[in-house]
């Protein structure tokens, strides 16, 4: 658009309708401020809110619009009055209203590039035929703004085409850091990627790992949430429950739906919010309507910052909200400047009258316009901060720094291109945009707040943030309180934080709570921050937070299952009930056996002792004594020596006993069987022969034991499997000899063979007269012994799976052996001792019987047996056939 006029107009000559339209559409800016100067800067500010129902502009924005715009005017005044900065050069400005809408801002920003657009005006003529006088519009060499990231993105796409540098004071979208697409864009505020990093650090510092995100539709909200999600993924340990978006034009009930969706993952109490003020306010209102005051824990971006407008009338819902804001300071000089503004001294601000009416809630008089009688009339005597509340807007500092950054760049450029020149030299007329950009990227000075102003290669300012928390309890005045700061790393004062109701305990925002000691995490598929806790059961312990592992075979888990401990070692103790009964029986048996032996020795030459076969009797009593003795070895603490004697004596006592008894019954059986056939005596029936046979039978057992010794030397083992119940607290290692159930049975098997063989001979010898032998007492002994051992087998093997296996089997074995020994002792020798002690008159020499007498006794016994059978058969026949002779 070119500004021009015709001489004809000055001369009062008529102009064509076409020329009039060009004139009216020319350099006429009803929505802009023009400040004259040698060099002109552009300014973009959201003076008005977005208009409703298709209108471009809405109500005036006092803080974000007027405060920020006045900050630029204030900075220009300061720079123009500074003799050291751009001396003899005046900075001017063309300031436009973006109306908080990117498309409208794009239309307005075309003003900045009109001087660079070459238009062909050769066909334009005034009515008198003369060419028009062209007034070239001012050239804008750089732009301060915009505020919203979406507006900056739209404008930056146009300005880069004409190489006009741009410095924003509030746009923080991460995508603006793309130096390939937005190469002429710079900003004095850090990008949201830094802000997102700070917010991730805050969330992790509070121990949260499960949060939701909420963003206003648009580049600021969406890119901020995208940065937060990307950084949280890279950092790990933080999961996003839901990521919701607020539409540009939300429908009625939209915010209630958002709150309802957030409650679908109610454990995610933390809500990361990148949204504009209006959306924040409506989210808080919806949470209050849903009666969820105090449930959500908001972490707000710099669009929330420390503003009071988003939380107005919703303070109880916002309590505890943690917000972030680029590190800032209140500029005292601007406060003095702004509070001194009035309608009289601030006519350059074309929107100031509108601000005045809104701020003081009054109405200015205008020609031809009636004032509503209900509204107060503005007097012009009102004063800011006296008749109305005033607080400096948070981005004022950055607006001033942006203007100063442009001024410092121009100053450095002037020093290099125009050394010693007063004012703008030819080399800076016009200012080359790309060269100015290089100078902008190179500035480094202390800004209005005393902090350094500089840019990196992408045009971004360093990240410096203050962290606030909105607090209501335990404070005199509810409001935002600084609780920390972030400058590449987080410094957060946890002691200063407080939450709903004044609680200083940081609330949880986690998907799953930490597992107890001894529990492992079973992850939920697709959600790395959610898990179920599973107890490490059985003999497992917690190896790490994800895995359980079984303890080594000789160990069991600790009560909290975080490690393993040694399994206690036990053995059969003498005071155990399982040992008392066998020991008691063994002691009685040993005493009884000793008494019999002593009695036999004392009455060694008496008839009863000699008749019982002294030699074999002593051998048999020795075996019985060893059977009783084995009880003590079975209960004694296992060791190499004890184990060796267990192997040796366990089967030896029984082998000796039953070898002697087998020899006796075999001798009797052979004598009477031989007597039936001939009168000559059988071989090997002398005492010496009997002892030899007995020792031969015993030697088989000894040979087997010594072979066992050679193959597997005796030693102890600790059996951890025997007492390993499901409850590891009951687990015990059993100290025992290396004798398995099978080896124990093998050790006794030979004795059992002897016992069965002896029983067979006892059965065969049952018909021999009692006056001639001991066959019947031996028979009764063997029958009883077999019953005892038949009872032993099911008890012994039936308890193999019992946790008390060792105790039951040891007790069963020792009691069975003691009983079998007691049966042998009681039936074979107690009657003889009774006669020797109490009836000595019966212990006299009887007539010696020769083998012939034995043969006769055997023959008579056979005949009597046959006769008895015949008599029985005859009686049966008589019953069947009556006597016919009668």
């Amino acid at each position: 658009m070119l500004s021009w006029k015709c001489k004809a107009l000055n001369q009062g000559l008529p102009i064509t309708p076409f020329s009039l339209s060009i004139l009216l559409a020319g350099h006429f800016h009803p929505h802009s401020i023009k400040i004259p100067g040698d060099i002109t800067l552009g300014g973009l500010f959201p003076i008005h809110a977005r208009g409703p129902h298709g209108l471009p502009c809405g109500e005036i924005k006092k803080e974000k619009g007027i405060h920020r715009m006045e900050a630029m005017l204030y900075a220009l005044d300061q720079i123009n009055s500074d003799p050291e900065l751009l001396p003899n050069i005046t900075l001017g400005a063309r300031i436009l209203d973006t109306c908080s809408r990117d498309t409208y801002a794009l239309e307005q920003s075309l003003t900045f590039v009109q001087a660079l657009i070459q238009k062909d005006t050769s066909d334009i003529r005034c009515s008198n035929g003369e060419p028009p006088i062209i007034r070239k519009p001012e050239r804008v060499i750089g732009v301060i703004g915009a505020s919203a990231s979406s507006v900056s993105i739209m404008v930056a796409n146009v300005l880069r085409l004409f190489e006009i540098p741009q410095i924003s004071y509030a746009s923080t979208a991460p995508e603006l850091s793309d130096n390939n697409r937005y190469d002429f864009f710079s900003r004095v505020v850090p990008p949201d990627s830094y802000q997102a990093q700070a917010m991730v650090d805050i969330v992790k510092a509070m121990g949260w790992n499960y949060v939701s995100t909420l963003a206003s539709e648009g580049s600021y909200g969406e890119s901020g949430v995208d940065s937060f999600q990307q950084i949280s993924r890279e950092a790990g340990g933080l999961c996003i429950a839901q990521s919701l978006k607020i539409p540009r034009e939300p429908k009625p009930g939209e915010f209630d739906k958002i709150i309802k969706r957030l409650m679908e993952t109610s454990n995610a109490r933390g809500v990361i919010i990148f949204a504009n003020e209006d959306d924040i306010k409506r989210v808080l209102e919806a949470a209050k309507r849903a009666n969820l005051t105090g449930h959500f824990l908001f972490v707000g971006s710099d669009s929330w910052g420390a503003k009071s407008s988003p939380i107005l009338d919703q303070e109880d819902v916002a309590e505890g909200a943690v917000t972030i804001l680029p590190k800032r300071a209140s500029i005292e000089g601007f406060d003095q400047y702004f509070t001194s503004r009035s309608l009289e001294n601030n006519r350059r601000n074309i929107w100031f009258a509108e601000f005045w009416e809104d701020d003081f809630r009054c109405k200015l008089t205008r020609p031809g316009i009636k004032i509503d009688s209900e509204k107060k009339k503005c007097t012009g005597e009102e004063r800011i901060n006296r008749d109305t509340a005033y607080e400096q807007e948070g981005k004022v500092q950055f607006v001033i720094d942006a203007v100063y950054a442009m001024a410092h760049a121009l100053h450095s450029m002037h020093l290099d291109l125009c050394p010693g020149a007063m004012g703008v030299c030819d080399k800076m007329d016009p200012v080359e945009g790309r060269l100015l950009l290089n100078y902008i990227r190179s500035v480094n000075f202390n800004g209005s707040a005393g902090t350094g102003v500089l840019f990196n290669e992408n045009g971004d300012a360093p990240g410096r943030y203050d962290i606030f928390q909105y607090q209501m309890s335990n404070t005199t005045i509810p409001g935002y309180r600084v609780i920390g700061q972030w400058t590449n790393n987080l410094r957060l004062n946890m002691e200063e934080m407080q939450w709903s109701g004044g609680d200083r305990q940081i609330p949880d925002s986690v998907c799953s709570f930490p597992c107890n000691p001894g529990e492992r995490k079973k992850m939920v598929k697709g959600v790395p921050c959610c898990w179920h806790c599973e107890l490490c059961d059985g003999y497992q312990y917690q190896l790490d937070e994800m895995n359980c592992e079984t303890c080594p075979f000789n160990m069991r888990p600790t009560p909290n299952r975080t490690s393993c401990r040694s399994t206690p070692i036990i053995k059969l103790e003498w005071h155990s009930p399982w040992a008392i009964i066998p020991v008691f029986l063994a002691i009685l048996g040993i005493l009884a056996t000793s008494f019999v032996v002593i009695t036999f020795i004392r009455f060694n030459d008496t008839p009863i002792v000699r008749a019982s076969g002294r030699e074999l009797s002593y051998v048999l009593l020795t075996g019985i004594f060893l059977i009783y003795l084995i009880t003590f070895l079975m209960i004694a603490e296992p060791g190499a020596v004890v184990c060796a004697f267990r192997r040796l004596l366990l089967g030896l006592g029984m082998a000796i006993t039953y070898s002697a008894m087998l020899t006796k019954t075999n001798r009797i059986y052979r004598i009477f069987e031989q007597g039936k056939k001939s009168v000559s005596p059988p071989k090997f029936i002398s005492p010496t022969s009997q002892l030899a046979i007995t020792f031969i039978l015993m030697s088989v057992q000894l040979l087997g034991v010594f072979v066992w010794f050679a193959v597997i030397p005796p030693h102890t083992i600790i059996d951890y499997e025997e007492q390993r119940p499901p409850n590891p607290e009951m687990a015990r290692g059993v100290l025992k000899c290396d004798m398995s159930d099978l080896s124990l049975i093998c050790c006794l098997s030979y004795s059992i063979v002897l016992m069965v063989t002896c029983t067979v001979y006892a059965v065969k010898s049952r018909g021999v007269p009692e006056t001639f032998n001991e066959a019947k007492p031996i028979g009764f002994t063997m029958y009883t012994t077999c019953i005892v051992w038949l009872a032993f087998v099911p008890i012994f093997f039936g308890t193999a799976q019992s946790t008390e296996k060792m105790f039951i089997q040891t007790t069963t074995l020792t009691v069975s052996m003691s009983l079998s020994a007691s049966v042998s002792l009681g039936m074979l020798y107690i009657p003889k001792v009774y006669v020797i002690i109490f009836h000595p008159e019966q212990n006299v020499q009887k007539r010696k019987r020769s083998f012939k007498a034995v043969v006769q006794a055997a023959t008579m016994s056979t005949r009597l047996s046959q006769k008895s059978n015949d008599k029985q058969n005859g009686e049966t026949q008589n019953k069947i056939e009556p006597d016919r002779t009668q």
Side-chain angles (χ1 to χ4, degrees):
M1 293 180 290
L2 296 175
S3 178
W4 60 276
K5 60 185 176 180
C6 296
K7 290 181 181 178
L9 184 61
N10 292 336
Q11 296 168 357
L13 298 175
I15 60 173
T16 63
F18 174 74
S19 63
L20 181 60
S21 65
I22 294 294
L23 176 63
L24 294 175
H27 193 65
F28 177 65
H29 300 284
H31 295 295
S32 69
I33 294 175
K34 173 70 172 76
I35 307 295
D38 301 321
I39 298 175
T40 301
L41 302 180
L44 291 172
F45 295 92
I47 305 299
H48 292 87
R50 183 192 299 249
H53 308 299
L55 295 176
C57 300
E59 61 185 11
I60 195 164
K61 300 179 77 170
K62 295 188 293 183
E63 288 84 11
K64 290 181 104 175
I66 298 298
H67 281 209
R68 293 180 182 181
M69 190 271 292
E70 285 288 351
M72 180 174 180
L73 297 178
Y74 167 77
L76 290 174
D77 291 345
Q78 295 295 308
I79 293 167
N80 289 334
S81 62
D82 188 344
E84 301 297 328
L85 185 60
L86 290 175
N88 300 311
I89 298 176
T90 302
L91 290 181
R94 172 70 70 181
I95 300 174
L96 303 175
D97 180 9
T98 65
C99 289
S100 307
R101 189 187 295 271
D102 51 3
T103 54
Y104 182 79
L106 179 62
E107 295 173 8
Q108 292 293 300
S109 64
L110 293 177
T111 303
F112 299 145
V113 301
Q114 63 181 345
L116 302 175
I117 299 175
Q118 300 296 326
K119 285 196 174 182
D120 183 10
T121 60
S122 59
D123 59 341
I124 301 175
R125 291 289 183 270
C126 292
S127 58
N128 61 1
E130 293 183 10
I133 299 172
I134 306 297
R135 182 165 63 83
K136 195 173 183 180
E138 79 275 4
R139 182 186 180 97
V140 174
I141 59 95
V143 174
I144 305 299
S147 179
S149 295
S150 57
V151 175
S152 288
I153 288 170
M154 191 75 80
V155 172
N157 283 317
V158 174
L159 296 182
R160 71 183 295 270
L161 299 176
F162 298 92
E163 297 188 345
I164 299 177
Q166 175 186 2
I167 302 178
S168 174
Y169 50 83
S171 298
T172 56
E175 64 185 280
L176 287 166
S177 297
D178 187 348
N179 203 36
N180 294 320
R181 294 178 59 194
Y182 307 104
D183 45 344
F184 280 81
F185 178 84
S186 304
R187 49 187 162 189
V188 290
V189 288
D192 286 338
S193 54
Y194 293 160
Q195 182 175 201
Q197 179 66 65
M199 295 171 82
V200 168
D201 292 347
I202 291 169
V203 167
K204 299 194 80 169
M206 293 191 293
W208 298 352
N209 66 4
Y210 196 53
V211 297
S212 295
T213 62
L214 189 57
S216 291
E217 187 176 4
S219 59
Y220 172 78
E222 293 177 46
S223 59
V225 164
D226 288 344
S227 294
F228 181 87
Q229 291 178 338
Q230 181 180 349
I231 293 169
S232 65
R233 279 194 299 268
E234 292 171 355
L238 184 59
C239 298
I240 308 301
Q242 294 193 72
S243 188
L244 306 181
K245 189 187 299 183
I246 303 170
R248 286 184 194 272
E249 305 292 342
K251 298 176 183 178
E254 188 71 39
F255 290 91
D256 295 323
K257 291 179 182 177
I258 288 172
I259 294 297
K260 189 174 181 181
R261 285 194 59 190
L262 288 175
M263 284 303 294
E264 290 175 3
T265 51
S266 57
N267 277 5
R269 295 179 63 189
V271 179
I272 313 303
I273 184 165
F274 282 82
N276 58 52
E277 295 178 38
D278 293 337
D279 288 345
I280 293 169
K281 186 176 182 66
R282 285 185 277 185
V283 166
L284 296 178
E285 290 172 349
K288 192 170 187 177
R289 283 195 300 272
N291 199 26
L292 291 171
T293 299
H295 176 79
F296 292 114
L297 313 168
F298 295 100
V299 178
S301 63
D302 62 346
S303 61
W304 185 335
K307 299 186 184 77
S308 57
S309 55
I311 62 171
L312 188 64
D313 299 327
Q314 311 299 329
E315 290 85 354
D316 51 345
V317 185
E319 184 178 10
V322 177
T323 61
I324 190 170
L325 195 62
K327 199 168 186 64
R328 63 176 186 172
S330 182
I331 309 305
E332 185 178 348
F334 176 78
D335 289 341
Q336 296 172 358
Y337 162 81
F338 190 75
T339 54
S340 66
R341 297 299 89 192
S342 66
L343 293 172
E344 289 76 19
N345 64 15
N346 200 22
R347 295 185 182 274
R348 63 182 178 178
N349 184 349
I350 64 172
W351 299 290
F352 197 70
E354 188 179 354
F355 163 80
W356 195 270
E357 289 180 324
D358 187 79
D359 198 38
F360 293 106
R361 301 182 184 278
C362 62
K363 199 71 176 175
L364 292 169
T365 57
R366 291 183 177 83
I369 300 177
K370 279 189 176 184
I371 300 177
D372 191 345
S373 59
E374 295 181 1
K375 289 191 177 179
K376 183 177 66 171
K377 181 181 177 181
C378 297
T379 64
E381 299 300 322
E382 298 90 353
R383 287 295 176 264
I384 300 170
N385 203 30
R386 187 191 71 184
D387 301 314
T388 185
Y390 163 76
E391 183 181 356
Q392 188 180 121
E393 200 276 332
K395 292 292 195 303
V396 163
Q397 167 198 339
F398 300 107
V399 175
I400 297 171
D401 288 345
V403 177
Y404 265 89
M406 194 73 76
H408 277 281
L410 289 168
H411 183 78
S412 299
M413 188 181 202
H414 184 267
L415 291 177
D416 291 344
L417 300 182
C418 310
M422 303 295 289
V424 178
C425 65
D426 293 339
K427 290 184 179 180
M428 287 185 63
D429 189 15
V431 174
E432 185 184 344
R434 188 166 293 278
L435 183 60
L436 177 59
L437 176 65
N438 293 334
Y439 279 101
I440 290 172
R441 296 288 172 86
S442 302
V443 299
N444 190 343
F445 63 96
N446 285 331
S448 56
T451 55
V453 177
L454 65 157
F455 304 98
N456 63 13
E457 66 277 6
N458 295 322
D460 294 329
R464 291 188 290 261
Y465 295 97
D466 282 325
I467 301 166
F468 299 86
Q469 187 181 41
Y470 186 77
Q471 299 179 356
M472 294 178 63
S473 305
N474 304 324
T475 180
T476 54
I477 302 175
Y480 294 96
R481 182 173 183 177
V482 177
I483 58 170
Q485 55 184 339
W486 190 92
T487 308
N488 295 326
N489 56 73
L490 177 67
R491 292 188 294 277
L492 192 63
N493 190 349
M494 296 289 190
E495 291 76 17
E496 297 293 329
M497 302 181 76
Q498 65 179 32
W499 308 87
S500 180
D503 187 10
R504 294 194 177 273
Q505 179 69 34
I506 297 176
D508 294 312
S509 183
V510 295
C511 182
S512 302
F513 290 98
C515 293
N516 295 322
E519 295 179 341
R520 74 175 186 95
K521 293 180 181 179
K522 184 179 180 182
M523 305 306 297
V524 176
K525 188 175 181 181
V527 189
C529 297
C530 298
W531 58 82
H532 302 297
C533 294
E534 286 189 349
L535 181 67
C536 297
D537 57 358
Y539 287 80
Q540 294 182 327
Y541 73 100
Q542 184 183 0
L543 178 64
D544 52 44
E545 64 176 10
M546 305 299 295
N547 298 290
C548 295
E549 190 160 299
T550 303
C551 287
F553 75 96
N554 60 342
M555 305 185 83
R556 59 177 180 168
T558 55
N560 63 3
R561 295 182 177 274
T562 55
S563 60
C564 294
R565 54 180 172 159
S566 297
T567 302
I569 308 302
I570 62 167
K571 58 183 180 62
L572 186 58
E573 302 290 345
W574 292 103
H575 56 77
S576 169
W578 298 101
I580 291 174
I581 294 175
V583 168
F584 178 73
L585 293 176
I587 290 173
L588 289 179
I590 288 174
L591 292 175
T593 305
S594 301
F595 180 75
V596 170
V597 170
I598 292 170
T599 302
F600 267 52
I601 293 173
R602 169 103 163 114
F603 299 95
N604 188 55
D605 293 326
T606 60
I608 289 180
V609 174
R610 284 185 297 174
S612 63
R614 288 176 296 183
E615 296 78 6
L616 280 182
S617 291
Y618 288 129
V619 172
L620 196 149
L621 287 169
T622 301
I624 292 173
F625 183 86
L626 291 179
I627 291 175
Y628 285 125
L629 186 64
I630 193 64
T631 296
F632 298 95
L633 290 174
M634 295 299 291
I635 296 173
E637 181 175 348
V641 175
V642 171
C643 292
F645 276 102
R646 278 190 192 179
R647 286 191 191 181
L648 180 64
L649 300 181
L650 182 63
L652 184 61
M654 292 180 66
I656 291 173
T657 300
Y658 297 120
S659 293
M661 293 176 69
L662 176 60
T663 303
K664 276 192 173 189
T665 54
N666 176 266
R667 173 176 176 273
I668 294 170
Y669 175 76
R670 286 189 298 114
I671 287 174
F672 280 91
E673 285 296 313
Q674 183 71 17
K676 294 175 184 179
K677 300 174 183 177
S678 68
V679 294
S680 60
K683 298 179 180 179
F684 309 117
I685 59 173
S686 65
T688 303
S689 300
Q690 298 297 296
L691 287 175
I693 294 171
T694 301
F695 282 117
I696 290 172
L697 292 174
M698 288 164 44
S699 65
V700 175
Q701 176 72 24
L702 287 173
L703 179 62
V705 171
F706 287 127
V707 170
W708 189 8
F709 281 164
V711 175
I712 305 175
H715 62 277
T716 60
I717 59 171
I718 300 175
D719 188 347
Y720 292 97
E721 295 298 327
E722 183 172 312
Q723 290 202 26
R724 196 175 175 87
N727 182 6
E729 290 299 311
M730 305 299 294
R732 299 292 185 270
V734 180
L735 178 64
K736 59 200 300 190
C737 291
D738 62 325
M739 295 176 66
S740 63
D741 293 347
L742 180 61
S743 62
L744 186 144
I745 294 302
C746 290
C747 186
L748 295 175
S749 59
Y750 180 64
S751 299
I752 293 172
V753 170
L754 293 176
M755 183 194 312
V756 171
T757 307
C758 186
T759 303
V760 170
Y761 277 112
V763 170
K764 288 184 176 182
S765 303
R766 68 185 184 280
V768 177
E770 348 184 303
T771 55
F772 285 92
N773 62 82
E774 294 177 310
K776 288 188 179 180
I778 292 176
F780 288 130
T781 299
M782 298 317 301
Y783 304 153
T784 308
T785 302
C786 286
I787 292 172
V788 169
W789 284 98
L790 285 173
F792 160 79
V793 171
I795 296 174
F796 186 86
F797 290 100
T799 57
Q801 303 301 320
S802 172
T803 55
E804 304 289 332
K805 171 186 173 182
M806 181 192 72
F807 306 124
I808 296 175
Q809 290 187 345
T810 301
T811 301
T812 303
L813 176 64
T814 52
V815 168
S816 296
M817 294 183 73
S818 294
L819 288 176
S820 62
S822 299
V823 168
S824 301
L825 185 67
M827 290 194 173
L828 296 179
Y829 293 104
I830 295 302
K832 293 180 173 61
V833 171
Y834 176 78
V835 171
I836 292 172
I837 301 297
F838 296 104
H839 296 282
E841 71 278 3
Q842 296 181 14
N843 189 9
V844 295
Q845 179 72 38
K846 296 183 179 180
R847 184 171 57 87
K848 188 174 181 180
R849 294 177 175 82
S850 64
F851 181 73
K852 183 177 179 181
V854 172
V855 170
Q856 290 175 351
T859 304
M860 288 181 64
S861 175
T862 303
R863 287 178 180 174
L864 287 171
S865 176
Q866 291 176 352
K867 197 170 184 180
S868 174
N869 290 337
D870 290 343
K871 184 176 181 181
Q872 290 177 357
N873 292 336
E875 289 176 354
T876 304
Q877 185 70 23
N878 289 337
K879 288 178 182 178
I880 296 173
E881 296 181 8
D883 189 356
R884 298 181 181 273
T885 58
Q886 291 180 353

